[in-house]
Amino acid sequence: PNLPADIMRALLIAASVLASVVAQEAPPCKGYSKGSFSGDVESAETCRTACEKAEGMKAPDFKAGGGGYRCECKSKEDCSSGCTRRLLCQDSNYEGPEQNDCFHGDSVVQLESGQAKAMRDLNVGDRILAADAAGRLSFSPVVFLPHATNTRAATFIDIAISSGSSLSVTRHHLLQTCSGSLAYALSFVPGTCLRTVNGDARVVSAHPRQDRGVYTAVTDEEFIVVNDVIASPFAHAHSLAHAYYTAHRILARTFPSLTSMTIVRHANELVGYFGVVALRLIKTSPGLASMVLPVAESVRVSRD
């Protein structure tokens, strides 16, 4: 690959997103004002009123956490078949389970040695079973771990599969359907089809639960295999995230010895932190996603 060009493109995506954080950030719910609404959005009732008056949308999604509030407007109450969502306001101190989208720490990946390893125990350099965009399986080195050991609260969905395996993953993490497209984990209801290393399988059951500890792993391939299920390492914006970590992949592939250096590990943690911030921004800013995704696609194509 063209090393300098690939790295510059990857950094361009990060810079474009991070430079827009202030401009694209949702206004606080306290003292919110737009259209004919003005006041504090601090309950489901005021969230509904604000959505109606400010956005013309009558289906609110209100959450409280960490001493702050979050109000999202929906085009309809039931979004299981898709709907328009617009983040109205979010306090800077809001903390909610939906901010943590990844796999449960008990989720298992397969090492090249044939052994299984929990995601919470993975290390950079571990070679785990992964897949490329065409579905070809191989063992690929872990180049980055976006989450350190943690106890972050999240809503997980326990998905039981007809092949006998199961997966515990957050609602907005992306899994492969049998057609090869990506879909949120919450859309895999009983009877739907998802892709595994043993072929297509059907969902037998899917039950939400609250737990702690979210983990994922970025490898040199596009997808990873977790509990035999082929999945994206990311949530919400697969193409953007995949391109964002191009610099990490190139560094690990070109200078593998650097991954053991403390200064590089700290730099990776810092870059990864801003990557997570950027992806959370993309989740609530469709216009920003449309701006940077073409650049992300150019990185993917040049890398391939």
Side-chain angles (χ1 to χ4, degrees):
N2 186 332
L3 180 60
D6 281 350
I7 291 179
M8 287 304 297
R9 287 193 185 98
L11 293 178
L12 173 61
I13 294 169
S16 298
V17 174
L18 295 175
S20 305
V21 168
V22 175
Q24 297 288 333
E25 189 176 34
C29 291
K30 185 175 179 61
Y32 179 82
S33 179
K34 183 178 179 180
S36 60
F37 180 88
S38 181
D40 296 337
V41 181
E42 53 187 11
S43 67
E45 182 178 351
T46 54
C47 178
R48 180 181 294 275
T49 301
C51 285
E52 291 179 350
K53 293 186 175 182
E55 300 293 345
M57 303 169 77
K58 298 184 178 181
D61 186 357
F62 177 80
K63 292 183 176 67
Y69 304 108
R70 183 180 194 274
C71 175
E72 187 176 18
C73 307
K74 304 184 295 183
S75 58
K76 56 183 180 180
E77 293 287 352
D78 183 6
C79 288
S80 59
S81 59
C83 68
T84 300
R85 306 178 73 104
R86 189 170 300 139
L87 182 60
L88 184 84
C89 64
Q90 179 172 306
D91 292 328
S92 60
N93 60 334
Y94 170 77
E95 294 181 2
E98 75 284 343
Q99 290 178 294
N100 301 317
D101 285 299
C102 279
F103 302 95
H104 190 275
D106 289 340
S107 301
V108 172
V109 296
Q110 182 182 341
L111 300 179
E112 193 169 24
S113 64
Q115 295 180 316
K117 195 171 190 178
M119 295 205 75
R120 63 162 56 92
D121 298 326
L122 278 176
N123 299 303
V124 171
D126 284 344
R127 294 182 64 85
I128 66 173
L129 190 60
D132 64 13
R136 292 182 292 263
L137 301 175
S138 64
F139 288 95
S140 184
V142 173
V143 299
F144 192 66
L145 297 169
H147 302 292
T149 302
N150 68 89
T151 57
R152 296 175 183 171
T155 300
F156 294 91
I157 300 179
D158 289 336
I159 301 175
I161 306 166
S162 58
S163 61
S165 60
S166 62
L167 181 68
S168 186
V169 64
T170 53
R171 296 172 295 179
H172 293 98
H173 204 89
L174 295 166
L175 308 178
Q176 268 199 354
T177 67
C178 292
S179 66
S181 62
L182 293 173
Y184 288 146
L186 60 81
S187 67
F188 287 89
V189 297
T192 54
C193 188
L194 81 171
R195 187 157 289 175
T196 75
V197 293
N198 300 311
D200 296 345
R202 296 285 174 179
V203 174
V204 175
S205 63
H207 301 290
R209 66 181 174 93
Q210 300 295 316
D211 207 340
R212 292 183 175 272
V214 292
Y215 297 86
T216 191
V218 180
T219 74
D220 203 36
E221 294 295 349
E222 188 164 352
F223 300 96
I224 57 176
V225 176
V226 182
N227 289 50
D228 293 335
V229 174
I230 298 176
S232 167
F234 317 113
H236 306 297
H238 173 83
S239 294
L240 178 64
H242 178 57
Y244 181 87
Y245 285 104
T246 295
H248 295 72
R249 294 183 175 101
I250 294 173
L251 179 65
R253 187 168 61 249
T254 309
F255 306 108
S257 62
L258 291 182
T259 58
S260 62
M261 296 176 62
T262 301
I263 188 172
V264 174
R265 288 200 301 270
H266 288 323
N268 269 357
E269 289 174 1
L270 181 63
V271 172
Y273 167 76
F274 284 113
V276 172
V277 172
L279 293 178
R280 288 179 183 171
L281 176 63
I282 289 297
K283 174 184 175 182
T284 56
S285 305
L288 183 58
S290 65
M291 177 184 71
V292 298
L293 281 177
V295 183
E297 179 64 15
S298 73
V299 175
R300 186 190 70 79
V301 171
S302 66
R303 177 179 179 272
D304 294 344

